[in-house]
Amino acid sequence: GGMALISLYFFMLLDGSSPNPAFLRFYSPLSMAFSRTFFTLIVMGILGAYDKFHKDWAANFEPVGPSQRTIDICLLALYVVALLCSVINTGYDDLLHYSYRRIPDWYELELSSSFKTGYGTWYALSMAKLFCCSLIWALTSFELRPKQTP
């Protein structure tokens, strides 16, 4: 969640909605690390959410009831959407990273129309992934269980 919020901040700060040099200079060297880190954290989150769902299911979602089941299912669905966005974007993240590795100032060159079209799709999926991860963080922080008294 925290990484998603920081990433959203940088996307907004550097105007990542278009392939501009300031954003590409920042993101290209880090694109593979971001992609791998998000993938790993999302997969670990899916495992944790699935484990939580089964523990809640075994307890019949008590003492909270159906609202806890709804939150658990929403968490799993958001994680799956984030994972799909991450997997689909991996190829473009690789393109950004290896373009930087081949020519460090590649973003100063004229960008093709197919690159710009692919960038638009990559940006939309990246924003969906980041919003899903941020929402997951908020939902995970929202606990409905009553406090245990000793």
Side-chain angles (χ1 to χ4, degrees), residues 21-126:
F23 178 76
L24 294 174
R25 182 181 321 115
F26 162 76
Y27 189 78
S28 292
L30 304 172
S31 61
M32 188 170 289
F34 269 59
S35 178
R36 288 177 179 171
T37 302
F38 266 105
F39 180 80
T40 302
L41 292 174
I42 290 169
V43 168
M44 289 171 51
I46 287 173
L47 295 173
Y50 188 72
D51 180 59
K52 181 182 181 313
F53 175 79
H54 273 278
K55 286 178 182 174
D56 289 343
W57 183 49
N60 202 23
F61 299 97
E62 292 300 329
V64 178
S67 54
Q68 187 62 51
R69 178 180 50 226
T70 303
I71 289 175
D72 288 353
I73 291 170
C74 285
L75 284 173
L76 284 168
L78 287 168
Y79 270 123
V80 168
V81 170
L83 181 66
L84 288 174
C85 290
S86 184
V87 168
I88 292 168
N89 270 353
T90 298
Y92 206 82
D93 281 321
D94 288 348
L95 173 68
L96 292 173
H97 179 76
Y98 288 114
S99 294
Y100 168 77
R101 296 279 305 261
R102 279 193 309 275
I103 306 168
D105 292 333
W106 71 274
Y107 45 81
E108 299 291 342
L109 303 172
E110 182 66 31
L111 302 175
S112 69
S113 61
S114 64
F115 178 86
K116 291 177 183 177
T117 303
Y119 185 90
T121 304
W122 172 84
Y123 178 77
L125 289 171
S126 292

